Amino acid sequence: MADPTGFIKVPREVATKRPPAERVHDWREVYPDAVGKTLLPIITDQASRCMDCGIPFCHNGCPLGNLIPEWNDLVWRGEWQAALERLHATNNFPEFTGRLCPAPCEMACVVGISRDPVTIKNVEVSIIDKGWDDLRVVPQQPEWHTSKTVAVIGSGPAGLAAAQQLTRAGHTVVVYERDDAIGGLLRYGIPEFKMEKSVLDRRLKQMVLEGTQFKPGTEIGVDISARELSEMFEAVVVATGAKEPRDLQVPGRELRGIYQAMEYLPEANRAARGEEVSEQIVATGKDVVVIGGGDTGADCIGTALRQGARSVVSLEIMPEPPLERPASQPWPTYPKLFKLSSADEEGGEKLYSVNTQRFIGDNAGNLAGLEIVEVEFCDGGFRPVVGTEREIPAQLCLLAMGFLGPERHGVIDELGLELDGRGNIVRDEHYATNVPGVFACGDCGRGQSLIVWAISEGRSCAHGVDQFLAGRSKLPRPIGPQERQLAV
């Protein structure tokens, strides 16, 4: 596998980003060129670090089961087309995951037991970006067309993966999206500086040329009923995501200036693309507080800084993670380690082990600040530390505390889909729901998760739908929902 001694001779090296002082003044990706191009001078050596480990645990760390040692070896040998084919064999959209996935595969890398793991994510994005640049990513027409029709509700990564697989299986697939453009949170939730929308648009063009039909601006339950849709199509795939946000009900929540992250980020994305947004929520000249320390919170930080916020403070109820893997999170599990996102590098302050006790308003009913308190974990919960209360200024507060599950009104209620105790759609091993002919994949069935899980679920769901329509399927089927709930 690649150079047998590469992991000994070559140190880990990642893509160089533009200086924070430069990139906060524009919305382009944080790299000086497309990340794949930026990496090309170093990527062959980085691929050589993939050792002949015998049992590649990276396969298990990756929800898609990516053939990582194979395409590392091919890149090292300069066989880029073969590497691209092996990459696409398990992942429809490696340009998305190569930019947005937190790379659990790297935490399972065998090299990582004793030294820095292989830069798997960087090799992945180099393969696909070079493939696009060399015009080697082309539409894949189905060998034959069936007479079967499938509707996909939702155009996030799960819906798009299911749609592409089913189109390539020969079915007629129509993707419905309630927003005015296709892409779901890939378009309106992910900021440009993490993934420019041209990366999404070129993949959508490929899907159109393959035969997938897109219907943006169509809300199921409003423009067309879910029941009508199920009568029009022989199978329906629900891939609506988990968009029900977690709220923070503390005194002062009614004040003006407190918004959910997904109220704020889509408007910012539209404005960054040149669209006019009336009464846009902006951070310009304001003290901004972001509650929640995950990826969505980081997106809010980077966006607020680019809009010219006076200050940005991020609040996290959990304690600051360690720099090194703790004994309680042994290899090859995915550890919770301290890391700085590109947005964190650009500015702002991060406070750990704190909770918000109340929002403070001015005489006009606008947000003026927050009262926060330090917390400690005790008896299975967080309790405030007496005497640590303090106030911080804020004219804009963004809630990025995660999501509770799919929205129930519309598709779920109309079709009578069964939900589990967490509010997610119940599926069997083939991703079929309790309603015949209706399937569910992605966050609406799994719960809020990673983009790599969404793509994997979309691919697996496509196998179930294809088998339902044709009696058997040649599409790959990694594992079913029951096994997936254990593979966290």
Side-chain angles (χ1 to χ4, degrees):
M1 287 296 172
D3 183 347
T5 61
F7 71 99
I8 300 173
K9 299 183 297 185
V10 180
R12 177 182 168 100
E13 189 175 354
V14 297
T16 301
K17 300 172 186 172
R18 294 187 288 136
E22 171 192 323
R23 64 190 195 230
V24 294
H25 296 294
D26 62 58
W27 293 94
R28 293 182 291 113
E29 286 187 10
V30 300
Y31 302 96
D33 205 338
V35 60
K37 284 185 179 179
T38 302
L39 287 161
L40 279 180
I42 65 171
I43 209 62
T44 300
D45 282 344
Q46 290 303 302
S48 77
R49 298 185 69 242
C50 185
M51 65 186 293
D52 188 4
C53 59
I55 300 177
F57 279 81
C58 56
H59 284 193
N60 185 61
C62 175
L64 281 162
N66 280 336
L67 307 172
I68 295 162
E70 295 185 32
W71 38 259
N72 273 325
D73 182 56
L74 291 165
V75 167
W76 181 66
R77 298 178 188 280
E79 300 180 26
W80 288 93
Q81 179 57 31
L84 180 64
E85 291 171 359
R86 299 313 287 152
L87 182 59
H88 269 147
T90 56
N91 188 353
N92 295 68
F93 313 123
E95 64 271 39
F96 302 165
T97 54
R99 287 169 167 82
L100 305 175
C101 179
C105 53
E106 294 187 12
M107 294 298 100
C109 174
V110 174
V111 176
I113 296 175
S114 59
R115 58 192 71 209
D116 292 332
V118 176
T119 54
I120 297 170
K121 178 177 171 179
N122 279 185
V123 179
E124 173 185 34
V125 77
S126 296
I127 296 170
I128 185 59
D129 277 7
K130 182 171 173 57
W132 282 108
D133 290 342
D134 296 346
L135 305 180
R136 290 183 286 108
V137 182
V138 296
Q140 297 182 27
Q141 302 291 343
E143 295 180 5
W144 65 87
H145 291 276
T146 71
S147 60
K148 307 298 184 180
T149 58
V150 184
V152 177
I153 306 174
S155 65
L160 292 178
Q164 186 168 62
Q165 291 294 95
L166 289 166
T167 297
R168 290 175 176 178
H171 306 306
T172 299
V173 181
V174 183
V175 179
Y176 291 88
E177 169 59 55
R178 68 181 178 185
D179 285 330
D180 56 2
I182 296 297
L185 293 184
L186 289 171
R187 183 173 298 280
Y188 291 125
I190 303 297
E192 289 278 307
F193 56 82
K194 285 180 68 174
M195 188 182 80
E196 294 180 13
K197 299 308 168 279
S198 58
V199 175
L200 170 63
D201 291 335
R202 67 189 181 188
R203 186 60 80 169
L204 295 177
K205 181 179 179 181
Q206 180 205 35
M207 292 181 66
V208 169
L209 293 174
E210 290 175 347
T212 302
Q213 302 174 44
F214 293 112
K215 299 287 186 182
T218 306
E219 183 171 358
I220 308 304
V222 176
D223 300 298
I224 181 174
S225 74
R227 194 159 296 281
E228 285 179 293
L229 200 70
S230 64
E231 293 172 354
M232 291 167 53
F233 292 86
E234 288 159 279
V236 174
V237 175
V238 179
T240 52
K243 296 182 179 179
E244 194 66 44
R246 180 177 282 106
D247 210 341
L248 182 60
Q249 293 299 335
V250 298
R253 177 63 180 87
E254 74 285 352
L255 294 169
R256 290 187 295 273
I258 305 169
Y259 301 95
Q260 291 287 349
M262 284 305 145
E263 295 178 280
Y264 172 68
L265 289 173
E267 291 187 356
N269 276 326
R270 290 178 181 275
R273 296 285 292 168
E275 297 182 35
E276 279 206 28
V277 181
S278 61
E279 300 183 5
Q280 182 187 352
I281 306 166
V282 293
T284 311
K286 297 176 181 177
D287 298 303
V288 179
V289 172
V290 179
I291 301 180
D295 289 340
T296 304
D299 294 344
C300 290
I301 293 170
T303 300
L305 291 170
R306 282 163 177 75
Q307 290 179 342
R310 179 165 53 205
S311 68
V312 180
V313 177
S314 174
L315 307 181
E316 172 61 69
I317 195 170
M318 300 295 291
E320 183 174 336
L323 293 173
E324 298 182 356
R325 184 190 291 272
S328 60
Q329 300 169 31
W331 178 91
T333 61
Y334 188 77
K336 295 180 180 178
L337 301 177
F338 178 82
K339 61 179 180 178
L340 289 177
S341 68
S342 64
D344 292 325
E345 297 168 351
E346 294 163 357
E349 181 183 6
K350 211 172 188 74
L351 302 179
Y352 292 94
S353 297
V354 295
N355 196 15
T356 302
Q357 297 209 123
R358 65 185 178 100
F359 295 109
I360 303 167
D362 61 17
N363 294 330
N366 299 307
L367 179 68
L370 284 75
E371 181 184 281
I372 63 174
V373 63
E374 294 179 16
V375 296
E376 59 184 2
F377 191 78
C378 183
D379 297 328
F382 293 97
R383 68 179 183 186
V385 178
V386 178
T388 62
E389 299 85 354
R390 63 186 175 103
E391 296 180 5
I392 57 175
Q395 297 83 50
L396 176 63
C397 180
L398 302 170
L399 306 180
M401 302 181 297
F403 301 87
L404 299 175
E407 298 171 343
R408 298 191 181 190
H409 66 274
V411 176
I412 291 177
D413 285 344
E414 280 193 38
L415 291 178
L417 299 180
E418 182 183 349
L419 303 178
D420 63 20
R422 299 168 59 204
N424 300 319
I425 300 173
V426 174
R427 303 88 50 82
D428 67 12
E429 66 273 18
H430 302 294
Y431 291 79
T433 70
N434 60 300
V435 178
V438 178
F439 299 75
C441 63
D443 288 3
C444 66
R446 178 179 174 81
Q448 181 189 2
S449 192
L450 306 176
I451 182 173
V452 69
W453 274 114
I455 296 172
S456 180
E457 290 229 349
R459 289 171 60 87
S460 299
C461 180
H463 175 280
V465 175
D466 189 35
Q467 187 172 7
F468 169 77
L469 294 174
R472 60 187 180 88
S473 178
K474 293 183 179 180
L475 294 175
R477 178 188 177 272
I479 54 178
Q482 283 74 18
E483 299 108 306
R484 290 181 183 282
Q485 297 304 330
L486 301 175
V488 177

